Amino acid sequence: QVQLVESGGGLGQPGGSLRLSCAASGSIFSIYTMGWYRQAPGKQRELVAAITSGGSTNYADSVKGRFTISRDNAKNTVYLQMNSLKPEDTAVYYCNADIFNTATRRIYWGQGTQVTVSS
């Protein structure tokens, strides 16, 4: 079994920072692209940022220059550093990962962590 466990959400101030972490565990052979998505109330889930196993990144236009995605392959962990937070960043943030677990390759999702940006 493979699990993704997120941490680091909570309340952030406008202009402030938060850092999310997502650790993958279980029978993992390879992890390919890892990413962060978010879903605000009444809206569809959207891609925030993604990073390949080689370190190539892409970001949603709304977070470029403010958020940074990174990963530690030795720890099977992906991070999202969120700076210059805005109220519109409020959402449930989900990590996902494209994982080959020695038998199959599929996308796994974390349980989600709430991020609220408010003064």
Side-chain angles (χ1 to χ4, degrees):
Q1 289 281 19
V2 174
Q3 280 189 317
L4 299 183
V5 178
E6 297 130 337
S7 60
L11 178 64
Q13 300 271 350
S17 299
L18 286 173
R19 188 186 193 219
L20 305 183
S21 300
C22 173
S25 63
S27 301
I28 297 170
F29 184 77
S30 295
I31 302 180
Y32 304 98
T33 298
M34 303 182 83
W36 289 95
Y37 287 71
R38 67 186 181 188
Q39 187 167 20
K43 295 188 176 182
Q44 289 190 329
R45 190 175 297 189
E46 62 175 0
L47 173 68
V48 176
I51 184 167
T52 68
S53 56
S56 297
T57 59
N58 69 287
Y59 296 91
D61 288 343
S62 59
V63 307
K64 281 181 181 176
R66 300 189 297 121
F67 291 9
T68 301
I69 189 170
S70 61
R71 63 191 283 173
D72 184 333
N73 291 328
K75 295 181 178 180
N76 292 337
T77 299
V78 63
Y79 306 95
L80 185 68
Q81 178 66 43
M82 305 185 292
N83 298 329
S84 302
L85 287 166
K86 300 178 180 180
E88 50 263 44
D89 295 321
T90 296
V92 178
Y93 283 70
Y94 300 89
C95 74
N96 84 345
D98 181 1
I99 295 175
F100 180 57
N101 73 347
T102 74
T104 59
R105 178 176 175 175
R106 51 159 284 195
I107 302 296
Y108 292 85
W109 289 89
Q111 79 284 0
T113 185
Q114 177 69 47
V115 171
T116 301
V117 182
S118 175
S119 55

